[in-house]
Amino acid sequence: MATQSNLIKTVLIGSVLLLANVACIAKSITLDQQRSLFRDAESALKQKNSEQFRTILGQLEEYPLYPFLLYKSLLGRTNQLTDIKHFLETYPETPYANALRNNQLKLLASRSKWHRFLDLYEPTDNAKIQCLYYWGLKQTGQHEKALDGAKTMWLVGHSQPSECDNLFDLLKNQNKLSESLIWERFGLALSSGHPSFARYLKKLLPKKESNKADFWLKVYQSPQSGLLQWQSWPGNSPFYSEIFAQGLHRLMRKNLGLAIKIWDEGHQHFNLTPQKTASLKRELALRMVKKRHPGALDAIFTLTPEQDNEESRAWRIRAALVSHNWKRVDAALDRLTEQEQSTPRWQYWKARTLDELGQQQESVQLYKEIALERDFYGFLAADRIKLDYRLNNQPIDVPTQTTEQLAQTWPFRAMKEFLAVEHTLDARRLWWFTSQRLDQSNLLAAASLAGLWGWNDVAIITAAKAKHWDDMELRFPLAYKEQVLKHAADAELNPSLVYGVIRRESAFRADVSSRVGARGLMQIMPRTGRMLARRLKERWRSASQLYQPDTNLRYGTTYLKQLSDRYNNNLAMVAAAYNAGPHRVERWRPETQAIPADIWVESIPFNETRDYVKAVLAYMSIYDYRLGGSGLRINHVISDIPPTHPDTKLISMAKKTGV
């Protein structure tokens, strides 16, 4: 039996003879038969049956997934550099070329074939390959370049792969691993949140430096106790200034009050750079605003333009909004850049401010301009002056010929086949690889193709990548319609809300899992799913059942109903709780007096949740239109956010005066 190595050589070098024998067969094979042969070829590869694989592969040369099979068969092959190069030359515009190159480079390095390695190498951001490349330079006599590369790979705040060990040993052996390099990486490690790695680096320092490293680690681990003795630290030392700055940064998260006190009393004691001073002062002010500290408004208004950035300019406005200080809101809006001022968000708040300051005519005119937008702020503006929402539906207009031509190119034929043979992940990888290389018109055509294939999340993201926001059917599909309507009705929910949540959570990808473990269409956490199964008196088997659309929708709508009941159908709070959890929503509520919903949403401390709430509410109105509704408006589903501890005196006074 021929070895798999010989097989590949035969396919790549002697393919003409092979194809001559099967040409007639290949032409007569149907697409269904090719798909069946593809599965057989994968099985033969898995079983290392090279003879069977060779026979099958010869019949699939015209099949779109032929390069994929060839790539798979070349992985891990030794002494096949000629074949590898042939593949790279034949299929350079595939995602497999770089993966195959890296695979072969690792094999060459493991066999110390450094000249061949350097011949095959191309620049990459893969740390393993980079380190092997620099070591290869050293092995071929290019010592200075190798040392420079070693320093580059050294200066990161995390552990590098084992492929870098030889390089770092080279630095040590050549006496190039100076104390300053070790300290620099030590600081990077702590700044990156890797104290255990910093402890490892401490071992590389001379004994006389070990106590200093221990001190820095102590302040890092326990900034509350570590910073209390700051008066005894040498203030003109860059070393202790860095520890003070880093310790204060961590203390802000643990004890904001103490951090403010230590900053006020101690920052002038240290030789902090203007950039570091600005960064710490800005971060402290932002922490105060987000935690609703009494001195927050003054703190963020004392930042100079040089100390500001986009985040602090935005939170200055939010701090003034929460305090209902409209003159300060106006002043904060004036400190935005021209580009920031032109966005619908800040245009809306400018209009609100003009209204509150008694400039109704100017406010109405600005509301009219904002209401032309199809987004959260455009809808809020329309609500303010009772205008219809502008949905601006404009389907993608790409010549049919462009779409048809794109569909016939290899990447898209291959994607369609990957989907047909249930290689969904490979299809997605090829899509994202290809989309990076498409121009505007072809991106639009690709979005249309994905929509035609029912690949909703890909269609949505590709349309956004092409910056086409106005195709309502493509960007807001009515997928799973029958199931959504059923489960929304069972839970007594508006189906537009359910669609809004799905659109934001998963964009209709049923098999998706988030980095924290949420699953399926409505992104349900397993522990939430288990709780809902008990409530519904259903058997909980495993978290994998959350990938089933019907189960996911039943559980998701049940949970939405719970939140809706809890928050009296105030959907601003419902959406926030669905994303961040009810415990955080309770923390974000005002303490004694109700707050307008638009101000509350704008001042949610978590960027993700703030954007989530705005998106779900806007999508809900769009889906009402898509479902043929009567025009659901945001102001119909949100109301003032009630306080956690109502001011009983104010309530009593209001009752007496009839307010």
Side-chain angles (χ1 to χ4, degrees):
M1 183 179 289
T3 65
Q4 192 167 351
S5 175
N6 290 334
L7 144 71
I8 300 305
K9 201 164 201 176
T10 301
V11 171
L12 286 172
I13 300 174
S15 59
V16 175
L17 292 174
L18 181 61
L19 290 175
N21 293 328
V22 298
C24 294
I25 300 173
K27 288 181 180 177
S28 63
I29 290 177
T30 67
L31 192 57
D32 283 342
Q33 288 172 322
Q34 287 178 319
R35 290 168 181 169
S36 178
L37 286 169
F38 171 83
R39 296 186 182 95
D40 291 342
E42 281 201 310
S43 178
L45 265 183
K46 188 175 181 180
Q47 295 170 17
K48 299 183 179 179
N49 189 334
S50 57
E51 185 175 348
Q52 182 186 14
F53 178 78
R54 177 180 62 207
T55 302
I56 297 170
L57 191 65
Q59 301 177 69
L60 291 175
E61 185 162 303
E62 299 304 317
Y63 185 52
L65 301 187
Y66 176 85
F68 174 77
L69 286 173
L70 205 52
Y71 153 71
K72 285 287 190 180
S73 66
L74 285 168
L75 285 174
R77 296 293 92 205
T78 58
N79 302 318
Q80 296 292 314
L81 192 54
T82 301
D83 299 346
I84 300 287
K85 286 185 174 181
H86 189 281
F87 183 95
L88 298 177
E89 290 168 2
T90 308
Y91 304 108
E93 296 301 319
T94 69
Y96 319 124
N98 191 54
L100 183 59
R101 184 189 306 277
N102 286 349
N103 177 265
Q104 187 66 15
L105 287 170
K106 291 174 187 175
L107 287 173
L108 291 170
S110 69
R111 288 158 177 77
S112 299
K113 306 289 186 181
W114 294 110
H115 287 286
R116 291 185 181 183
F117 180 101
L118 296 177
D119 181 54
L120 189 64
Y121 175 81
E122 285 190 357
T124 177
D125 57 3
N126 183 308
K128 292 181 180 181
I129 302 299
Q130 283 179 309
C131 281
L132 291 174
Y133 167 70
Y134 291 126
W135 185 246
L137 292 178
K138 189 266 179 189
Q139 295 297 93
T140 55
Q142 303 177 65
H143 300 286
E144 292 305 315
K145 286 184 179 179
L147 286 170
D148 289 343
K151 291 176 185 177
T152 299
M153 301 308 295
W154 173 264
L155 287 174
V156 296
H158 54 80
S159 178
Q160 290 281 40
S162 59
E163 286 81 355
C164 299
D165 290 350
N166 285 333
L167 272 183
F168 299 156
D169 287 340
L170 177 65
L171 282 176
K172 296 174 194 173
N173 296 335
Q174 297 287 318
N175 295 319
K176 299 293 184 181
L177 192 58
S178 63
E179 283 185 34
S180 61
L181 275 177
I182 298 171
W183 275 120
E184 189 170 355
R185 195 174 187 192
F186 185 93
L188 287 171
L190 291 180
S191 296
S192 303
H194 296 114
S196 59
F197 183 58
R199 290 190 192 93
Y200 162 77
L201 292 170
K202 186 191 83 165
K203 299 174 185 176
L204 303 179
L205 290 165
K207 278 193 174 182
K208 61 183 177 63
E209 299 291 298
S210 184
N211 288 339
K212 291 169 67 177
D214 285 335
F215 177 75
W216 194 340
L217 282 164
K218 178 184 175 183
V219 175
Y220 178 90
Q221 294 283 23
S222 304
Q224 188 160 327
S225 60
L227 285 173
L228 288 176
Q229 305 300 320
W230 62 265
Q231 297 95 332
S232 62
W233 302 1
N236 61 352
S237 164
F239 178 83
Y240 286 95
S241 296
E242 178 61 26
I243 295 177
F244 176 81
Q246 193 180 84
L248 193 71
H249 166 77
R250 290 179 58 76
L251 182 60
M252 291 178 201
R253 304 181 180 199
K254 299 184 177 184
N255 189 330
L256 181 59
L258 181 59
I260 294 169
K261 181 176 184 295
I262 289 176
W263 170 259
D264 288 342
E265 296 175 355
H267 74 275
Q268 292 182 336
H269 174 76
F270 293 95
N271 188 23
L272 299 171
T273 65
Q275 293 81 4
K276 185 69 73 175
T277 299
S279 175
L280 287 168
K281 189 176 180 183
R282 182 172 60 245
E283 185 182 1
L284 199 59
L286 286 168
R287 288 274 171 195
M288 293 170 71
V289 170
K290 293 176 184 180
K291 293 291 185 182
R292 308 280 171 90
H293 188 277
L297 195 59
D298 288 336
I300 200 152
F301 266 87
T302 59
L303 294 178
T304 66
E306 293 75 24
Q307 294 168 338
D308 257 336
N309 63 9
E310 185 176 358
E311 184 182 17
S312 61
R313 288 191 291 270
W315 278 101
R316 183 178 293 113
I317 298 167
R318 294 181 182 122
L321 284 170
V322 169
S323 68
H324 299 280
N325 189 328
W326 293 99
K327 287 186 177 179
R328 275 197 148 178
V329 173
D330 199 36
L333 286 164
D334 286 344
R335 290 183 62 170
L336 296 172
T337 66
E338 286 186 17
Q339 185 177 2
E340 290 164 354
Q341 288 178 356
S342 67
T343 61
R345 171 173 54 181
W346 302 128
Q347 288 278 291
Y348 171 79
W349 287 112
K350 181 67 174 180
R352 276 277 270 133
T353 302
L354 290 170
D355 191 15
E356 294 289 343
L357 295 177
Q359 301 177 53
Q360 277 76 29
Q361 187 173 349
E362 295 90 335
S363 174
V364 168
Q365 182 56 41
L366 193 49
Y367 277 139
K368 286 180 180 178
E369 295 174 17
I370 307 160
L372 298 174
E373 300 291 331
R374 186 194 58 251
D375 68 2
F376 177 71
Y377 296 102
F379 293 166
L380 287 184
D383 286 340
R384 287 273 165 185
I385 53 177
K386 297 180 172 56
L387 291 179
D388 290 338
Y389 288 177
R390 296 290 293 270
L391 296 174
N392 308 321
N393 185 27
Q394 184 181 344
I396 288 176
D397 184 18
V398 177
T400 304
Q401 185 180 7
T402 302
T403 305
E404 290 176 349
Q405 287 175 345
L406 192 71
Q408 292 307 310
T409 60
W410 171 79
F412 288 89
R413 291 172 59 225
M415 290 172 212
K416 196 168 185 180
E417 286 309 302
F418 273 134
L419 292 174
V421 297
E422 298 181 343
H423 278 236
T424 307
L425 183 58
D426 289 309
R428 289 182 182 279
R429 286 170 175 162
L430 182 54
W431 187 283
W432 302 132
F433 177 88
T434 304
S435 67
Q436 301 298 321
R437 292 153 176 78
L438 297 179
D439 60 19
Q440 174 77 3
S441 63
N442 280 313
L443 270 176
L444 292 172
S448 296
L449 269 180
L452 289 172
W453 294 352
W455 214 0
N456 292 304
D457 63 302
V458 172
I460 290 166
I461 296 170
T462 308
K465 187 176 178 64
K467 301 189 183 306
H468 187 94
W469 315 105
D470 297 331
D471 191 324
M472 294 295 95
E473 290 187 17
L474 189 74
R475 294 193 63 234
F476 298 95
L478 293 174
Y480 305 100
K481 184 175 180 181
E482 184 177 336
Q483 292 158 292
V484 169
L485 294 178
K486 176 188 181 303
H487 291 297
D490 289 347
E492 300 177 321
L493 294 171
N494 189 320
S496 300
L497 170 62
V498 181
Y499 264 124
V501 170
I502 296 170
R503 173 62 171 77
R504 180 65 181 189
E505 289 284 358
S506 68
F508 301 95
R509 184 178 170 187
D511 63 347
V512 71
S513 178
S514 76
R515 57 182 174 79
V516 296
R519 291 164 165 80
L521 290 173
M522 298 185 73
Q523 287 291 276
I524 300 169
M525 292 293 290
R527 69 171 177 270
T528 304
R530 190 180 294 108
M531 176 269 290
L532 292 166
R534 284 199 301 269
R535 180 182 178 89
L536 293 168
K537 297 181 176 163
E538 294 181 1
R539 181 184 173 191
W540 175 259
R541 293 181 296 278
S542 72
S544 63
Q545 67 194 80
L546 294 174
Y547 293 123
Q548 300 167 6
D550 200 67
T551 300
N552 192 283
L553 289 168
R554 182 166 63 256
Y555 288 4
T557 51
T558 299
Y559 186 49
L560 268 180
K561 175 60 174 174
Q562 288 181 17
L563 296 175
S564 183
D565 290 344
R566 176 171 181 164
Y567 296 115
N568 197 27
N569 205 35
N570 188 336
L571 296 191
M573 301 178 77
V574 170
Y578 195 93
N579 176 260
H583 62 293
R584 290 196 177 95
V585 170
E586 293 304 319
R587 225 165 46 220
W588 297 337
R589 284 171 61 183
E591 288 191 11
T592 58
Q593 297 183 40
I595 185 173
D598 59 349
I599 293 178
W600 185 77
V601 171
E602 189 63 60
S603 59
I604 289 174
F606 289 5
N607 294 340
E608 178 191 334
T609 304
R610 185 170 62 254
D611 292 341
Y612 179 94
V613 173
K614 291 187 291 187
V616 167
L617 292 174
Y619 294 168
M620 184 179 181
S621 294
I622 294 169
Y623 268 108
D624 179 72
Y625 160 78
R626 292 280 287 120
L627 290 166
S630 56
L632 183 66
R633 305 180 72 93
I634 290 179
N635 67 347
H636 293 166
V637 297
I638 64 174
S639 55
D640 288 357
I641 308 302
T644 53
H645 301 96
D647 190 321
T648 54
K649 291 182 180 178
L650 285 176
I651 294 174
S652 176
M653 187 181 301
K655 287 181 178 178
K656 289 179 181 178
T657 57
V659 175

